[in-house]
Structure formats: structure tokens, C-alpha cells
Amino acid sequence: MLKKRGTRGDKGSKLEFGLFTLPVILCITIAFYIPFLMTIRYSLTKWNGISKHPKFVGLDNFKQILLGDANFAHAAWFTVKYAILYIVLVNVLAILLALVLDMKLKSSAWLRAAFFIPYILSLVIVGFIWKFIFMQGFESLGHSTGWGIFQLSWLGEEGLAFVSILAVSIWQSIGFYMVIYIAGLQSVPEDLKEAAIVDGAGPIRRFFSIILPMLAPSITISVFMALTNSIKVFDVILSLTGGGPGGTTYSIAYDIYRDTFQNNLYGYGTAKALILFVAVLIITIIQLSIFKRREVEA
Amino acid sequence: MQRSRTGRILLEAGMIVLSLLFLYPLFLAINNSFKSFAEVMTDVIALPKQLSLDNYVYVWKFIDYPRLFLNNTIITVVGLAGIVLISSIAAYKLARTKSKWSSVIYMLCIMPMLIPFQSIMLTVLRLAKDLNLADSTWGLGLLYWGFGAPLAVFIYHGFVKGIPVEIDESAKIDGASGFRLFFSVIFPLLKSVTATIVIIDVMWIWNDFLLPLLMVNGSPSTKTLTLAAYTFVGQYTSDWQYAMTAMVMAVLPSIIVFIFLQKYIVKGVVAGAVKG
């Protein structure tokens, strides 16, 4: 009797494990794993989405993308440039903002909310609002101030369009990074800062010798988030420049979207998508191992 | 001392000016949503001559705002409820079970965080069509279960490890096991982390663009707010007064919610980022 109960209990706990985990496994398999396997399959085909049977072409798509696709090379270079500048600028600016807001100003609650607000808005809409400002608003601002900076063609010239996309992305997300850094600063012990003041360290020395090292965990998180988000930049470009002028502001994500859904190159587009996945995987592994090493040292 | 106090006041004033400049683009969008086409064209900065709601009435009817609002709400609520339910229960079991299978399944649950959405967007669309989940508000909500689960499992898993096993054991002695144990003992203990996940996922699902663009762009009745604003601007590229009105109407719910729940939203985002 007892024995029987024991086996039933064992079976019961297995059943329970299954019941608890099956829904999530099922949903993730549908959302990620099946589509991912399909992506691998399609990437080996030539397919326009219309013909019933995709034509198997082996690794031809990959060869073509890596050796002879100027669009892809350009988009990749755009994304790399964008990611590096975005990561550096958004983090430096957010640290500066956080330092000021950590000084317990009377208005810091308002300031924090104000800088955070754009982050709760959809990037597509942010892009459109800024498009309006670059196209219509700057004209009026130029008239009333007479400043030349408002008369430039911010979305119509290659270099300036890049700067615009970068600026708008930073504007939208800086509040997020600022909040992470404020949380990090608040965990720096007060007596450490006071001891440094007693020792006669000036503000700059204090920042580099005490605050910055103590911020390391926040920097790790923020750089990681900034990296993963910037590699996938898409929405803001779609609504702000639409890839223009002359196709100079396509990111990799946008290039994939265009090939698959606008040019109907389904096989070719999925091959690009797979390359993006491998790139993200490699970058993540490198980043994680660097940070692991740093944690060991610390 | 005196000098540092004036310095502080100057700094504070400078920051307030900076924050107003920072929000000025949003103000310009709101400002121009009250103007006529001619007014927008002549001067973007000037305040509207009269406070007319004509643009709002027009856009409200044109995009069927109440309908879209309902769609957004359904997608967000369905998505969120599923993510919280299936992720918390699975993460709990995975954290409590020490077996090879358990760690393999946990890895399989969180690995998709590395897959960029663009890598699978085409095939997700095809699969969703085969499963009859495309072109439906409810179907889109269901799809978010899978897309939101990896991060949620990861965060819940980390949190459950901090809950002493003794709690489970004493509940078992009292006769509770399985679902009963989870829902009446464990789930309430997960309140704070659930709040974090709810905040992160509401912001994400409510504002999401690419997945709705692929899944529910077929008919006007299934669109989301962001999607409708996007297609609306596509049709009325030069009618900036309507475009800005549509933008303001699309972002207004988020801003209102943010103003009321500010403190919790910021806290939740920080907690999620630090754990995630």
C-alpha cells in the first residue's frame, strides 16, 4: 500500500512538472523555435512567396549576401556606426544627468519624470513627431531665431540624417538609462563620498576614483541594453527617414524588412536574418565573457 | 557656503530650462494638433488662434478610436495575463526541481532572448497564419505569451530561488500541493516581481509596432493605436494637423498612465533591468 502510494507520488510529481512547464514550452516553441527552424530552411531557398514550392539553392543566398550585396554591406556599416555612437553617447549623457539629479534638487522628482516621459512613447510615433519638427518646426524656428542650424536639411542629407536618427533615439531612451544610473548612484555609500571629501579629493577626482568604479554594475547593464537595442534599430528609421535620403539610412533590421516584405525576396531576406542572428550571438558571447572576467577581478 | 548655494540655485534653474526644452517637441505636437492646416503651414511655434477640437473629432471618427483603444486593451490584457500565468508557474517549478531535465528546459525557455525578432518575423507570420492567429486581436494577444515568456521566466526564476523551500514544505504538511500550493502560497509572494513584469510588458505590448504591423494590419477593425497612427500618416503625409492629432491621441493613454503611476513605473523598470 505504502509502496504503491510512493510510486504514484513519483508519477504525480512528474505529471505536475509537466503540467506546470508545458504551457510555457508550447508557447515559446510556437513563438521562437518553430519559426527559427523555418528560417533556417527558407534561408537555403530562392522564393518569392508566390510559387508553391521554394527552390532549394543551398548556400547561394549567403554567398551572395556576404560577397556581393552592397545594400547589406552599407546597412551593416550604418548599424555598427550607429550602435557605437549610440552606446557611448547615451551612457555618457545619462551618467551626467544622473549625477545632477542625484544631488537632491528640489525639482528632481519633476526632472526625473520629464526626462523619462519619451521612453514610454512608441518609437514609431516619436519618429513621426520628430519628422514633423525637422520638416515644419525647424523652418519656423529658423525664421524666428535666424539660426542657421535650423535651416539645414536634417533629414535630406546623408550625414545629417544619420545625426538626426541618433539624436532622436537618444532623446527617446535617455530617461531609461538615467534612471538605471540614479539607482546605481544611490547605492554608493555616503560615508565613502564623505571620506573622499575629507581626504581633499576634488569633484573630478571623486567622480573617477569613487563614483565611476561603484557604478560598474549599472554600466554593465546599460551597455548591454544599449547594445541589444541598437543592433535592432528599426522603428525610428522607418518613421523618421524611411531609409532615405537615397537609401543611406537603412539599418540591417530595416534592410531585412525591406528585402522580405517590400521586395518579396523571402529566401534571401531570411538568409540575411540568420546572419543577423549569428552576429548578435557572437557579440553577446563576447560581451558576456568580457563582463564575467571583469566581475572576477572586482 | 554662500557661493555653493547660488550655484545650486543656478544649476536647478538650468536643469528646469533643460527639461522644458527636452519636452518641447511633445509640446509642439500637442500645440499643432489644435490648429488648422493653414495655421500649421504658416507658423508651427505660434499658439493656436482658437482652441478647436475639430481635428480630434475628425481623427476619432476616421480611425474609430474607441475600437482601437479596445483592441489595444484586449491585446495587452490577454498577452499580459498569459505571460504572468504561464511564466510564473513554470519558473517556480523549474527553480524548485533539481534535475537535468529541469535545467535543460530552463535554458530552452530563456535562450530565445538572444534571437532578434527580425530573424524570425517572416516565419512567425506564416506560422501564425497556419494556426489562425493572424488578423485577430485575440490571436495577437496569444502570440505575446510566447514572446514575453523568456524574460518573464528569467526574472521569476531568479526571484523564486530567493524564497525558502521551507515555505513549500510547511504548506505541503498543511495538505496543499500542486496548483493549490502555487496559487495560494507562492504566487502572492511574487507580487513585487509580478508588478515589475506587468509594467515592462504593458509598455512593450501597448507600444509594439512590428508584430502588430505583420499580424493585424489586414483590416481596419483589428488595428492597434500605433499601427493606425502609422497608416494614417502614410495616407495623409502632408496633412500635418491630422497627423499630429493622431500621434497625440495614440500616446495620450501612455502619458496619463505614466503621470499616475510614475513612481511604480520607474521602480519596476529599474528592477526589471537590473534583474533582466
Side-chain angles (χ1 to χ4, degrees):
Chain A
M1 194 68 187
L2 261 173
K3 215 175 187 182
K4 210 174 179 187
R5 204 184 232 171
T7 46
R8 197 186 286 161
D10 195 40
K11 253 190 204 154
S13 77
K14 269 193 184 138
L15 182 72
E16 201 179 288
F17 184 81
L19 281 176
F20 277 43
T21 54
L22 204 60
V24 102
I25 299 169
L26 201 66
C27 291
I28 290 178
T29 307
I30 290 172
F32 289 102
Y33 288 113
I34 298 176
F36 190 63
L37 293 175
M38 286 163 75
T39 294
I40 294 175
R41 201 190 117 214
Y42 283 148
S43 70
L44 303 172
T45 64
K46 198 179 185 90
W47 189 36
N48 55 11
I50 299 162
S51 65
K52 276 240 166 67
H53 298 287
K55 192 178 147 226
F56 183 82
V57 293
L59 295 173
D60 277 8
N61 288 330
F62 294 95
K63 260 187 239 157
Q64 204 182 330
I65 293 164
L66 295 174
L67 297 176
D69 189 323
N71 286 335
F72 188 74
H74 193 284
W77 175 231
F78 175 93
T79 310
V80 169
K81 252 190 329 188
Y82 170 88
I84 293 173
L85 284 170
Y86 175 81
I87 294 167
V88 172
L89 287 173
V90 87
N91 281 291
V92 169
L93 292 173
I95 291 177
L96 288 177
L97 263 186
L99 282 173
V100 176
L101 292 191
D102 190 47
M103 283 151 80
K104 298 184 181 61
L105 302 173
K106 284 197 191 76
S107 54
S108 57
W110 147 262
L111 291 172
R112 211 177 289 191
F115 288 112
F116 194 80
I117 279 185
Y119 183 69
I120 59 170
L121 311 179
S122 140
L123 264 169
V124 172
I125 287 175
V126 163
F128 275 131
I129 290 177
W130 274 97
K131 187 178 183 178
F132 170 70
I133 288 164
F134 283 129
M135 290 176 72
Q136 305 294 324
F138 272 30
E139 205 182 288
S140 301
L141 285 166
H143 278 301
S144 54
T145 59
W147 294 351
I149 159 174
F150 291 124
Q151 269 127 31
L152 298 173
S153 166
W154 283 95
L155 298 176
E157 256 174 61
E158 186 178 346
L160 288 177
F162 178 79
V163 173
S164 302
I165 291 170
L166 191 65
V168 172
S169 323
I170 292 174
W171 179 80
Q172 192 262 350
S173 58
I174 190 165
F176 171 78
Y177 298 97
M178 172 198 77
V179 159
I180 305 275
Y181 284 120
I182 290 177
L185 283 173
Q186 277 162 0
S187 65
V188 179
E190 279 303 319
D191 46 353
L192 208 62
K193 286 188 234 170
E194 276 160 26
I197 296 174
V198 173
D199 287 346
I204 291 170
R205 181 71 204 273
R206 277 203 308 269
F207 175 72
F208 283 104
S209 307
I210 295 180
I211 295 175
L212 207 55
M214 296 295 281
L215 270 186
S218 309
I219 296 175
T220 306
I221 295 154
S222 299
V223 168
F224 184 71
M225 305 285 271
L227 179 69
T228 38
N229 288 331
S230 55
I231 300 175
K232 294 183 274 188
V233 55
F234 171 78
D235 304 31
V236 70
I237 301 179
L238 180 76
S239 56
L240 193 60
T241 66
T248 50
T249 56
Y250 282 109
S251 66
I252 291 191
Y254 201 154
D255 189 47
I256 294 171
Y257 176 79
R258 186 175 51 147
D259 269 357
T260 354
F261 293 109
Q262 289 168 357
N263 302 338
N264 286 332
L265 299 167
Y266 283 21
Y268 195 68
T270 36
K272 281 186 177 178
L274 214 56
I275 292 175
L276 173 67
F277 165 70
V278 174
V280 169
L281 194 69
I282 292 171
I283 291 169
T284 313
I285 290 170
I286 291 174
Q287 205 211 3
L288 287 181
S289 63
I290 289 175
F291 283 149
K292 265 248 171 72
R293 212 165 51 204
R294 217 176 65 182
E295 266 167 35
V296 172
E297 276 170 19
Chain B
M1 203 62 203
Q2 195 66 37
R3 220 181 103 208
S4 88
R5 233 183 104 196
T6 27
R8 250 186 124 78
I9 291 168
L10 276 178
L11 182 73
E12 177 128 30
M15 287 306 288
I16 291 173
V17 172
L18 187 68
S19 68
L20 292 175
L21 276 176
F22 190 81
L23 292 180
Y24 190 57
L26 291 180
F27 172 75
L28 277 186
I30 296 168
N31 187 22
N32 284 281
S33 69
F34 290 109
K35 295 182 185 172
S36 67
F37 177 70
E39 274 184 277
V40 174
M41 283 303 148
T42 44
D43 195 350
V44 170
I45 306 168
L47 294 172
K49 290 198 183 71
Q50 57 184 65
L51 218 59
S52 138
L53 288 173
D54 291 355
N55 295 339
Y56 283 87
V57 173
Y58 179 82
V59 175
W60 179 285
K61 281 194 191 136
F62 192 92
I63 62 175
D64 195 358
Y65 191 79
R67 173 81 215 219
L68 296 181
F69 192 88
L70 182 71
N71 286 349
N72 259 49
T73 311
I74 293 174
I75 293 168
T76 310
V77 170
V78 170
L80 208 60
I83 292 171
V84 165
L85 200 70
I86 65 172
S87 306
S88 62
I89 201 165
Y92 162 71
K93 205 65 187 172
L94 291 169
R96 285 292 191 252
T97 312
K98 303 266 174 288
S99 74
K100 208 160 137 199
W101 267 110
S102 172
S103 41
V104 168
I105 290 173
Y106 175 63
M107 283 314 290
L108 285 175
C109 282
I110 62 166
M111 248 166 23
M113 282 197 277
L114 293 177
I115 303 177
F117 181 67
Q118 279 86 2
S119 299
I120 50 168
M121 61 184 174
L122 169 73
T123 43
V124 165
L125 175 63
R126 296 203 64 84
L127 188 65
K129 279 193 173 145
D130 289 344
L131 297 172
N132 275 326
L133 294 173
D135 297 317
S136 130
T137 313
W138 292 86
L140 180 55
L142 274 173
L143 277 177
Y144 279 110
W145 293 22
F147 286 108
L151 180 67
V153 168
F154 181 66
I155 297 178
Y156 273 125
H157 192 269
F159 197 86
V160 169
K161 279 193 290 189
I163 300 176
V165 196
E166 285 76 16
I167 291 182
D168 299 42
E169 281 160 2
S170 70
K172 270 181 199 157
I173 291 166
D174 288 344
S177 67
F179 291 101
R180 178 77 194 280
L181 164 68
F182 178 76
F183 285 109
S184 49
V185 181
I186 304 295
F187 194 68
L189 293 174
L190 300 173
K191 211 161 64 187
S192 68
V193 64
T194 302
T196 295
I197 289 169
V198 166
I199 286 163
I200 297 175
D201 288 351
V202 164
M203 285 177 37
W204 162 55
I205 299 177
W206 187 274
N207 289 324
D208 197 17
F209 174 69
L210 197 47
L211 194 59
L213 177 72
L214 301 178
M215 295 299 162
V216 291
N217 201 16
S219 94
S221 63
T222 51
K223 282 196 164 98
T224 62
L225 282 170
T226 305
L227 200 52
Y230 172 74
T231 32
F232 188 80
V233 174
Q235 284 166 10
Y236 291 79
T237 348
S238 51
D239 281 334
W240 283 112
Q241 79 283 15
Y242 291 143
M244 280 309 112
T245 310
M247 297 303 139
V248 173
M249 285 168 74
V251 300
L252 211 55
S254 332
I255 294 185
I256 292 172
V257 170
F258 176 72
I259 288 170
F260 283 107
L261 299 177
Q262 209 208 101
K263 215 169 75 189
Y264 305 97
I265 290 176
V266 169
K267 245 190 226 158
V269 166
V270 171
V274 173
K275 291 230 174 62

